[in-house]
Each structure stands twice: as C-alpha cells, then as structure tokens.
Amino acid sequence: MIQARNVVKTFDGFCALKGTTLHVKKGCVYGLVGPNGAGKTTLIRHLTGVYKQDAGEVYIDGEPIWENPAMKQKIAYIPDDVFYFQGASTEDMCKFYRGIYKNFDIELFHRLEEYFPKIDRKKKLRSLSKGMQKQVAFWLSIACKPEILILDEPVDGLDPVMRKQVWSILMKEVADRNVTVLVSSHNLRELEDVCDHVGIMSEGSIILERSLADMQENTIKIQMAFEGEVPDLSDIQDILHMSHSGRVYTIIARGNQAGITAKIEAKKPLFYDLLSLTLEEIFIYELGGADYEVKDICL
Amino acid sequence: MKSKISVFSLTLCKRNIKVNLMGTLVYLAMMIYVGPVSYYFQVRGQSADISSQELTALKRWALVSWNMSGQMWLIAAFAVLTALVSFYYLFDKRANQMLHAMPFTRTQMFITNYVSGLFMQLLVLFISAGVMEAVVNDSMYANAVMKIYGISAIATVFFYSLSVLLCMICGVVYLPPVLFMVANLLYVVYKGVFNMIASALIYGYNKEVTLYASDYLDISNAWSPLVYLSTVNYFNGDEQGKLYTFPMGYKVLWYLFFAVLLTVFTWFVYKRRPAERCGDFLTKPWLNVAVSVICTLGISMGLMMAILDVEVNKYVIRRMGIANVCFVLMITFLVYLLLSMIIGRSKDIMRKRIMIPAVVMTVVCCVGFAVIQVDALGISKKVPEKNEIKGCYISTDFTGNKPLKNNVDETLEIHKRMIKEQKNIENQRPEIGVNIVIQYHLKNGKTLERTYVVPYEAAELENPDSLTYLVDNKLNNFEKYCGHLYNRKPYEAILHLSKFVDENGNYKEVELDAKGVKKALIKDVKAGALRMDYPEWGLEKTVNWPEKERFCSEDYIELKFASIDTEAEELYGNLSGYSTGIWNYSSEEDLNIKKEEVLQFYLNKKCKNLLKYLEQSGVKNSEINYQVIQ
C-alpha cells in the first residue's frame, strides 16, 4: 500500500534520507520509530507528497504520490503540529474538508462528535489548546474516510483518556474498513499495543523492519550464571548487548530462540532464564548497535 | 498513471476570496476615494453656480490633475498584499505542509489562488471605473476615464504577477515586498547613481539624477515599472476642454504581455518550489548570490555617490579618485560577505560558493569604476559631426539656464574649445563661473548633452585669447536672446526709485511711456551700455568689472510685454537676486487669465539714452541712486 524505495533527500549538503526503503502492507498498523533527527518526519513528508525526493521512488497503492491528487484523496495526514486557517472553527474546517475530500462523510462527522464532547464546533480552533486541536484533527481525518492514515506523533498533547479514546477509534477504523495506518511516535509502549509492524529508523535509513511478533520472537534476553570463568560465547552470533552483575550475565541476542538456547545449554550454566523483550528494549538495544546506546552517566 | 483532475478548486477559491475580502473592501474604499470622491468634490460640489463652459474646464482640470502616481502606488501596494494573502501558506511551515499534503496539484493551487486574487483586484477597478463614469457623467470624458482604469488594470495584472513570482522565490513573508520595491526602483536608482558618479568623474558629462521619473518621455524608465506607470498615463488638456493622453500610453500594453510571460514562468517556478525551503530567505541557493550581488552593488554605488557628494569639487575628486575607488572596492567585498552571511544564515563564508562571486563582483566593480574614472569610453572627448546634428541648444546663466537655439558652427567651436581647455578648466578653482549646457539634437533621434563651468573673472574677460572672452563674446548677447521683443509693443513701463521708499519699504514707482522707454533701451543696448548679466554676480561683485568707471544703480525699470511666447512660461521663477544688466523673465498670475513677459534692467551711467529720456519724462538724474564703484 505504501512503498518507499531508496529515497534520498539532502538539505544544504546534509543527507536526511540515505536511500530509505519502507514497505507498509494494506490494513497494517505500522509503527515508525527512531531517535530524534533520524528522518522520520522527513520520510513522512515524502509519503504524503509534501516533499519531492532527490532520488528513489515513493508509491501509494502502486502510483507515485508526488503531484497525484487522486492518491492523496486516499490519505489523511495528521502532522505533529496541526494547522488551521486563521479564525476558522471546527465547522469551517469541516466545510473546507468536505469540499476537498470526496469521501468526506458528514454523518460520520456528526456521529463522532460524541467522542469529542469538550469541543465546541463553533469555537475558533486557534483558541483551543494543542491537545484539543489534535482531537479536531483526528475528528476531521476520520470523517474523510481515508484508506491510509499517516500520523506523526499523533497522541502528543492528549490526555490519557483521550489517548485511549483516539486509539480505540483508530483501531475500529482498521477493523471495520481495513485502513492502513503509519504512525510515528516515541511512545513505544503505546505503539506496542497497536502496531503489528515496526520500522526502526536511524540516521536516514530504516535499519530494521519486521512484524512486531517476529521482532519479539527473534530478539531474546537471557540471564545466566556459570561456575567459575564465563565460557567463550562467540559462537552466539548477533549479540546486541552483554552485561554482568557479579556472576549473573545478561545478553540480548538476535536469532532463533531454540538455536541460542541449545548453544547456552552446551556451555553448562548453573542456571539460565529466557525473558521476553518490550518494543522499547528492542529499540534501545538495536540502536545501541547503531552507536545510540544509553550511556552510564557519572557526574 | 495520474488521474485527470480540474485545474481549479472552487473550495480553495472560496477560501481565498474569504481571506482577501477585508483587504479588498479597504482597497475599494481607497480607490473610490482617490477617484470618484476626489473628482466629485473638485467638480460636482461646485457646479451649482457656474456656467457649463466653466464646468467643462473644471472637469478637464480635475482629470488632468488626477493623482495617477498615488493611484499606481496604491495598486502596487494592494497587488503585493493580495499576493501575500493568496499565497500566505508558502511562508508558514504548518500551512505549507498541510495544504501540500491535501489532494491538490500545484498547478491547481497556483491557478486557483492566482485567479481568485486577481479577480478581487480587477473587481475593485471595475466597480471604481463604473462609479467614476457615473460621477463624471460626460461622454466627452468617458474615453479618458476608461483609459485611466484600463492602464490601472494592466498595471494590476503586471504588479500582481510580479508579486506572485516574488512569493515563489522567497521563503519569508517580509521579503517579497522588499524585493518588489527593489525590482521596481532598481533601474532608475542605478541609472541615477551611475549618472551622478559619471557626472562627478567625467569632464562635461552631467545628467540630472531622477530617482523618481518626472522625465516621463524617457522610455528606458519602463525598466522601472512602478515609476514608468506612475507617469505614463499623463493627461493634458486645452482650453476647449479637450483632453490629450500621453501618446506613449499605448506602450503600457507591453506590460500585459510581460505579465502573461511572468505568470507562465511563475507557474513553472511553483511546480519546482521546494516545500522545505519555507522559512529560508530564498528558495534557491543561486538566488542568494543574485540578491547579494544586487544589494551589494547598490550599497557600493551609494557609498561612492556619498563620497562624491562630500567631495563636491572636481579638483578634489580627481586627486582622491584612486583612493576612493580602493575604499569602495574594499567595502564592496566586505558588504558582499556580510550579506551572504545574513541571507544564507551562516557564519561559514570561506566557501567557494561565496568567495568566487565576491571576488568576481569586486573585480567587475573595479573595472566599472576604472572605466568611468579614466573615461575609457571617451565620453568627455565626444563631439558630434556637423552633418549628424539636427539642432543645437545652449543654455547659460546669462539666460536663466533656458535652452535657446544656437548656431551649429558656433556651438561646435565653443564645445571644441571647452574640450581643448579641459585641463585649464579643471585645475582652476574660480570664485565665479558660468554654467554652460550644450545640447545637440542628432538626426538619429538621440540627444547629446554636455555641461561645463567656465571661469568668469575680470582678467580672463580682458584677454581676447581666453575661453571666457570667447564665451562672453558669443553667448552674452542681448539681441540673440531678447531680440524677439524688438518687434513687440510694450504695454507698460515702471521705474523703481530706491531713494524714495514708502513706510512699507517699497521703492517709489514712476510710470513711464512704454514706447519711449523701449526706443531708448534699444539704443543703449546697441551702444553696449547694457548687456545680459549673470544673476549671481550681484552688486558686490561688480568691482571685478573691467570698466572701472562704470556706475550701477539700484534703480531699475520694468518694461512689460504681453506674452505670445509659451516657452516663456518656463522662465517663470528663474529670476533671483540683483542684476547689473538686463534680465528677461515672465510671470503669470493664472494660466487662464493673462501672460506677460517683463524685461527688467538696472540703470548705469552709460545708459545715456535712457537717462536722457528719464529727464524728459520728469525724473531728474539726481533722483537716481547710483552706486559708485571704487
């Protein structure tokens, strides 16, 4: 549904996207994660047709998105910082969206009002708080009945209740209409609950792109202790992280769970334990390999 | 495959009209005020008690005195404002992002915003023209009114297209208005500054600096559209009430052609405008270089002009020349680097992209200034061939700087002599000099003009080989300049006697027979007792006069003629100070009522015929207040 192939973008000599490749399947909820400055927003702006890539291709539903209003009709985009016209109310914006998006469903818009009870439709949007403006953005976007929702830091500024509310509306859309969602966020715990695919971005490239289940299955955390000296673990490939506290060693490794377990058992540890990783841990340890690890700070 | 979609979005258009509405209403109010309201209060408000003939004259003058310049600046200001409002999203990162992510093509956004913005402005002109026609309510002037609004409409299309283009190339909202002014005034400012520098450095070259073109005949000002359009639809009228439009007005149609070209180019630029440049000064890096170069050149030339303005004397300028040029070049280089830092928002200036244009521009400036400084183009030596000349005019201080037709051979002789004496003239720093402007109208339609200042001192006047002697002999000639009065009948002659002053400080006035005064005057002029004089050469300077025995009086006679010379109007206002000789001027109380030419001359003891005539008229010689020269 969404495809970016070898996208390159340079700003005044700084390469923001270095041949980025991304693929989001139809009906999938794709979480785009990465550290600050990784190029997530830049990539999203290419996917929504705001920026034109220097090289590479960006396709939506098999067609280039740049200057393609027919494809843009299928997309609703909520940026991290939403914009409304000067002096416009929710009703004014609704009229504007109705004139632009062919699938805009005014009945759905009215039905959704009950989910956003604190918003006065006639009040000027710029007088509302950032969180309430975000709620209006969701309201309008859902009413457009898009096939693709692209969200950049969507719940940033929303209170916990409204966050849950928004996610539940989104998930209902995915379930009912098979909407494809690409969401960029730093709130990995929330993403873990909603995403089925994740792409980790670092320094202008997608360094890891997999289904969340695959990712959690293929990255394991093992705690173990040995009698005497720790044996050579070099036969366990793709160790992302290793630390020890006394005689208890912790390793994070990428690979087949059964294979890694067999190798550890062969070294006869006093004990060992397999633990599942959260998305946040995977993010931290994967990026540790990309020189972005959490440093111990001594002040 | 891209889907077919309309190039116009009604929703976007409605939105644009809504945001432009308030500005458009203000614009309409102002246009109604400067046009119909102003006209109404000039004409209709006074029409109750006046005849139809007087009303026609009033209407004519109301149209002739229409403030076209003000209207054009208003049109330009609202064209820029409408462009900024219509394309505001290009300067707001969030709006830019949102609108470009929506299902529009750039072509659709451009056409919709451009057309809706233009529509609002043309609607204002259309309404104003309708109201104006209704207020004027005269078929005689209907065409003139339509011409005014027709030219205004063309100006609107051009200024709006230019403003939209500037919106496309700028990333910050305050830059398009600045660049709009630069684009509109660049040519006249550069031309003015260049002329000023060249006039200071090149012998004989002197062109008036017209930063705002009153010289509407100069078609080259069309490169400064706002200046040109402010003057091009000039009206004149005759006493029958008929209006004449300035014939070059039709050339304004070229602006429509260029507006179309600009619009197509702007659309092309918008399609390639990088959205990520929003917030930068300019949307393309090479534009930074272009704008820096234009601004730096302006600053350098301005600096050079300021230096030359301080060093008024050419003697000083010539000796300071190389030092001045070096100083300006150093400043040019530094200013370019500074502007590059500001526009590029970077302290890193030691880059090829900045240093190469800086060096190239400084070298070009250096060559440019050197060409002017050493007169490499030979401007100071240029004298046209006799067969190239259609007519010659010379204006001097003797004639109040009024250009008067002169003999070609005599003009060439004086001009060549001026060139020959260049070094002498430049090295002298005379207390008194006479300004001489030589103007050739060439057969190829061009005009060549040179200005010189000739020392005018006693010693030089006594030397028959001197340039001063030649100039005085050839150009200080009463019959040449005032000869046309010989055949005209004066209607009044008044003698002003300074010995008899009333309580208000006015001289006693004695009315004389005009015919008798004219007869005596001609005799004295032919005898050499009176001559044209240099007005700044007041009584206190007459000590330098070679004829030591000469006595001048404070008393003067005014001899008045009914004017038939329309050119004499131009002389009005040129009279100043005292004169030891004859001064010719004219005055007019009202353009419609009466014109007169007055010959004013001071008496001296050599005016034997006039003094004799005064005696016969009852004015005793002892009543005349002579100033005795020691």
Side-chain angles (χ1 to χ4, degrees):
Chain A
M1 193 70 182
I2 305 174
Q3 207 166 17
R5 274 193 230 139
N6 302 319
V7 177
V8 176
K9 184 71 179 178
T10 307
F11 300 120
D12 286 330
F14 168 72
C15 194
L17 297 180
K18 299 170 182 168
T20 309
T21 297
L22 168 140
H23 185 225
V24 183
K25 288 179 189 161
K26 190 169 172 59
C28 151
V29 181
Y30 188 103
L32 185 64
V33 297
N36 297 329
K40 300 186 297 295
T41 301
T42 305
L43 179 61
I44 284 175
R45 285 175 186 168
H46 281 86
L47 300 178
T48 49
V50 177
Y51 288 177
K52 190 179 185 186
Q53 65 276 15
D54 297 339
E57 288 141 353
V58 179
Y59 294 109
I60 300 290
D61 216 4
E63 285 190 35
I65 184 67
W66 177 253
E67 288 288 82
N68 191 340
M71 285 301 111
K72 285 182 177 178
Q73 281 283 354
K74 296 180 180 181
I75 302 174
Y77 168 46
I78 301 179
D80 52 346
D81 200 359
V82 290
F83 170 83
Y84 298 109
F85 296 121
Q86 185 80 41
S89 64
T90 307
E91 266 185 358
D92 294 332
M93 291 308 292
C94 171
K95 275 184 201 165
F96 184 73
Y97 273 63
R98 266 180 92 180
I100 287 167
Y101 288 96
K102 287 176 191 166
N103 294 334
F104 193 90
D105 187 340
I106 188 69
E107 285 177 14
L108 176 61
F109 178 79
H110 290 307
R111 280 205 307 277
L112 285 168
E113 192 169 3
E114 67 175 291
Y115 298 108
F116 304 101
K118 287 185 181 173
I119 295 169
D120 178 358
R121 278 194 290 159
K122 288 180 180 161
K123 200 169 179 185
K124 284 184 181 173
L125 282 161
R126 292 200 178 184
S127 67
L128 299 180
S129 69
K130 189 185 169 189
M132 288 174 103
Q133 289 187 20
K134 264 272 164 75
Q135 289 176 40
V136 175
F138 272 105
W139 187 359
L140 292 167
S141 299
I142 300 294
C144 289
K145 293 178 90 172
E147 289 180 33
I148 299 168
L149 258 168
I150 296 181
L151 315 168
D152 194 357
E153 298 289 352
V155 290
D156 185 26
L158 297 184
D159 63 65
V161 175
M162 199 39 75
R163 280 177 184 222
K164 280 220 173 254
Q165 182 74 73
V166 163
W167 284 125
S168 84
I169 297 169
L170 284 177
M171 288 309 108
K172 190 171 179 298
E173 285 295 301
V174 174
D176 294 352
R177 296 197 301 108
N178 202 24
V179 174
T180 307
V181 181
L182 185 142
V183 53
S184 149
S185 176
H186 287 117
N187 195 331
L188 302 181
R189 294 205 191 283
E190 273 181 353
L191 282 188
E192 201 168 8
D193 293 339
V194 295
C195 293
D196 44 31
H197 278 74
V198 172
I200 298 178
M201 205 170 176
S202 175
E203 294 181 356
S205 304
I206 299 277
I207 56 169
L208 189 71
E209 186 183 55
R210 227 172 261 185
S211 77
L212 190 62
D214 263 10
M215 207 176 267
Q216 286 176 328
E217 215 168 86
N218 280 293
T219 315
I220 48 176
K221 185 176 179 181
I222 307 148
Q223 281 189 329
M224 55 198 168
F226 294 94
E227 199 177 336
E229 286 295 303
V230 66
D232 180 20
L233 297 172
S234 61
D235 57 336
I236 304 171
Q237 291 163 347
D238 273 345
I239 294 179
L240 298 173
H241 177 81
M242 188 162 86
S243 61
H244 69 95
S245 173
R247 290 172 67 186
V248 178
Y249 283 80
T250 304
I251 63 167
I252 311 283
R254 202 190 285 147
N256 179 275
Q257 195 174 328
I260 294 170
T261 312
K263 281 177 186 168
I264 287 174
E265 277 178 355
K267 297 181 194 306
K268 296 184 178 154
L270 288 175
F271 75 90
Y272 75 94
D273 195 8
L274 296 179
L275 303 165
S276 59
L277 265 79
T278 63
L279 179 60
E280 193 166 85
E281 284 172 315
I282 296 171
F283 175 79
I284 291 168
Y285 293 121
E286 282 290 345
L287 286 172
D291 291 333
Y292 193 70
E293 58 196 324
V294 179
K295 304 272 192 310
D296 290 331
I297 302 169
C298 294
L299 295 172
Chain B
M1 196 185 80
K2 288 183 183 174
S3 308
K4 283 184 183 172
I5 197 154
S6 159
V7 291
F8 193 82
S9 164
L10 197 59
T11 309
L12 207 56
C13 176
K14 281 181 192 166
R15 178 76 220 162
N16 200 22
I17 286 176
K18 196 176 170 185
V19 293
N20 268 307
L21 194 60
M22 195 51 75
T24 305
L25 289 175
V26 172
Y27 182 34
L28 178 63
M30 292 175 89
M31 286 299 280
I32 296 280
Y33 179 77
V34 297
V37 172
S38 163
Y39 178 87
Y40 179 82
F41 281 101
Q42 279 187 70
V43 177
R44 306 293 290 190
Q46 303 171 25
S47 63
D49 307 325
I50 56 174
S51 67
S52 62
Q53 204 179 356
E54 285 170 320
L55 181 62
T56 304
L58 266 174
K59 281 182 178 179
R60 174 170 53 88
W61 284 109
L63 289 171
V64 167
S65 59
W66 190 316
N67 185 1
M68 283 313 298
S69 175
Q71 182 162 317
M72 213 45 79
W73 278 81
L74 191 63
I75 288 168
F78 274 88
V80 176
L81 191 70
T82 310
L84 288 174
V85 172
S86 300
F87 292 90
Y88 72 96
Y89 60 91
L90 297 174
F91 311 107
D92 182 320
K93 280 187 179 174
R94 292 184 307 153
N96 191 27
Q97 190 180 186
M98 174 192 142
L99 284 163
H100 283 128
M102 283 186 158
F104 302 118
T105 57
R106 289 193 174 211
T107 302
Q108 199 178 12
M109 289 169 86
F110 174 74
I111 291 176
T112 306
N113 289 327
Y114 181 87
V115 169
S116 52
L118 186 61
F119 168 75
M120 299 294 274
Q121 292 173 84
L122 292 180
L123 185 66
V124 167
L125 286 181
F126 185 76
I127 295 170
S128 307
V131 175
M132 189 69 194
E133 287 287 16
V135 172
V136 172
N137 192 23
D138 193 329
S139 57
M140 194 174 176
Y141 297 125
N143 198 25
V145 171
M146 288 320 293
K147 268 183 189 166
I148 289 173
Y149 283 99
I151 289 171
S152 298
I154 291 171
T156 298
V157 179
F158 180 80
F159 289 141
Y160 181 63
S161 303
L162 179 64
S163 306
V164 173
L165 173 64
L166 294 173
C167 286
M168 296 304 153
I169 64 168
C170 298
V172 284
V173 72
Y174 53 82
L175 200 54
V178 175
L179 291 186
F180 182 85
M181 290 310 295
V182 169
N184 273 290
L185 299 178
L186 190 70
Y187 176 78
V188 285
V189 170
Y190 273 13
K191 188 175 82 170
V193 174
F194 173 82
N195 282 338
M196 205 164 175
I197 293 171
S199 299
L201 295 175
I202 298 174
Y203 175 72
Y205 185 89
N206 188 20
K207 280 216 171 161
E208 253 185 60
V209 179
T210 49
L211 296 186
Y212 189 79
S214 56
D215 51 343
Y216 53 84
L217 282 167
D218 188 353
I219 187 73
S220 74
N221 281 341
W223 291 107
S224 279
L226 185 52
V227 172
Y228 185 72
L229 285 167
S230 296
T231 51
V232 75
N233 43 356
Y234 164 81
F235 282 90
N236 209 343
D238 62 17
E239 286 177 12
Q240 281 71 51
K242 197 174 175 186
L243 273 173
Y244 301 100
T245 47
F246 179 46
M248 283 160 87
Y250 290 102
K251 293 192 175 169
V252 168
L253 284 170
W254 277 102
Y255 282 113
L256 195 59
F257 173 72
F258 284 116
V260 174
L261 284 186
L262 270 180
T263 307
V264 174
F265 179 66
T266 307
W267 167 68
F268 179 81
V269 171
Y270 184 39
K271 286 191 75 153
R272 282 152 186 79
R273 188 183 193 273
E276 64 269 22
R277 286 285 175 187
C278 178
D280 290 355
F281 270 109
L282 295 154
T283 53
K284 295 278 179 190
W286 62 266
L287 282 169
N288 291 349
V289 177
V291 171
S292 301
V293 166
I294 289 169
C295 294
T296 310
L297 280 177
I299 292 169
S300 305
M301 288 173 83
L303 187 68
M304 191 71 184
M305 192 175 81
I307 291 172
L308 295 177
D309 200 38
V310 172
E311 298 166 5
V312 180
N313 196 305
K314 291 201 175 193
Y315 182 84
V316 180
I317 289 168
R318 213 172 43 259
R319 274 152 185 79
M320 287 293 290
I322 291 168
N324 284 341
V325 170
C326 291
F327 177 69
V328 169
L329 292 178
M330 190 180 72
I331 295 294
T332 302
F333 187 74
L334 294 176
V335 165
Y336 183 84
L337 295 183
L338 186 69
L339 282 175
S340 299
M341 276 167 67
I342 295 168
I343 292 173
R345 290 180 176 173
S346 165
K347 287 179 192 168
D348 180 19
I349 49 170
M350 301 306 285
R351 286 180 290 162
K352 273 187 186 174
R353 195 186 286 179
I354 291 173
M355 293 308 281
I356 291 175
V359 171
V360 169
M361 198 190 59
T362 309
V363 170
V364 168
C365 265
C366 184
V367 172
F369 282 135
V371 164
I372 299 174
Q373 184 88 34
V374 302
D375 187 21
L377 302 174
I379 293 171
S380 61
K381 301 274 188 294
K382 194 174 178 183
V383 179
E385 294 295 327
K386 190 179 174 183
N387 58 8
E388 294 174 337
I389 301 167
K390 202 163 83 179
C392 294
Y393 288 81
I394 292 189
S395 66
T396 63
D397 291 319
F398 303 128
T399 60
N401 299 314
K402 183 189 175 187
L404 295 166
K405 201 157 191 176
N406 206 55
N407 178 286
V408 174
D409 289 323
E410 188 182 276
T411 308
L412 285 171
E413 183 193 351
I414 294 169
H415 190 181
K416 284 175 183 168
R417 185 72 187 270
M418 296 284 185
I419 292 168
K420 198 177 164 189
E421 305 255 357
Q422 178 180 352
K423 280 192 178 167
N424 286 341
I425 291 175
E426 284 185 335
N427 288 330
Q428 284 186 38
R429 301 169 76 177
E431 267 188 60
I432 306 165
V434 173
N435 288 297
I436 294 168
V437 180
I438 301 172
Q439 203 179 63
Y440 300 101
H441 291 269
L442 304 176
K443 286 176 183 167
N444 61 10
K446 291 183 178 173
T447 303
L448 183 80
E449 191 177 293
R450 293 290 179 262
T451 302
Y452 304 96
V453 181
V454 177
Y456 205 68
E457 295 191 345
E460 296 290 315
L461 278 165
E462 282 173 335
N463 177 9
D465 297 328
S466 74
L467 176 64
T468 306
Y469 184 90
L470 175 77
V471 165
D472 189 59
N473 194 258
K474 302 276 185 190
L475 302 179
N476 190 351
N477 187 322
F478 177 84
E479 284 189 38
K480 188 183 275 181
Y481 300 130
C482 298
H484 64 287
L485 296 177
Y486 283 10
N487 300 323
R488 304 242 307 271
K489 198 177 165 186
Y491 67 85
E492 191 176 55
I494 297 169
L495 170 67
H496 298 258
L497 292 169
S498 61
K499 274 190 180 175
F500 309 95
V501 182
D502 66 13
E503 62 274 16
N504 296 323
N506 297 322
Y507 290 177
K508 180 185 172 187
E509 290 183 3
V510 180
E511 200 162 328
L512 303 166
D513 174 45
K515 203 175 163 188
V517 170
K518 182 187 164 189
K519 207 172 164 185
L521 170 72
I522 290 170
K523 282 181 184 170
D524 280 340
V525 166
K526 285 188 174 167
L530 282 164
R531 49 196 288 149
M532 303 293 288
D533 213 347
Y534 177 42
E536 284 179 21
W537 201 356
L539 286 172
E540 70 278 12
K541 295 287 182 190
T542 53
V543 286
N544 293 324
W545 193 254
E547 299 167 57
K548 299 285 189 216
E549 77 283 3
R550 190 173 178 198
F551 292 86
C552 292
S553 88
E554 272 192 23
D555 301 347
Y556 63 94
I557 296 175
E558 279 184 324
L559 190 59
K560 298 184 180 180
F561 298 81
S563 175
I564 51 164
D565 181 8
T566 50
E567 280 184 24
E569 289 169 20
E570 295 168 20
L571 277 171
Y572 180 63
N574 281 337
L575 180 71
S576 62
Y578 289 99
S579 168
T580 53
I582 298 170
W583 191 247
N584 176 31
Y585 77 105
S586 76
S587 68
E588 49 186 344
E589 289 169 28
D590 188 285
L591 282 167
N592 291 323
I593 301 168
K594 189 172 141 188
K595 292 172 187 172
E596 64 180 18
E597 275 184 84
V598 181
L599 206 57
Q600 178 183 324
F601 49 95
Y602 288 84
L603 297 166
N604 65 60
K605 280 203 166 177
K606 289 178 80 179
C607 302
K608 286 179 181 159
N609 294 289
L610 278 164
L611 294 174
K612 190 177 165 189
Y613 176 75
L614 290 176
E615 285 270 358
Q616 288 168 359
S617 304
V619 180
K620 290 175 187 164
N621 211 296
S622 58
E623 290 176 5
I624 295 170
N625 183 16
Y626 290 110
Q627 284 211 335
V628 181
I629 313 298
Q630 298 301 319

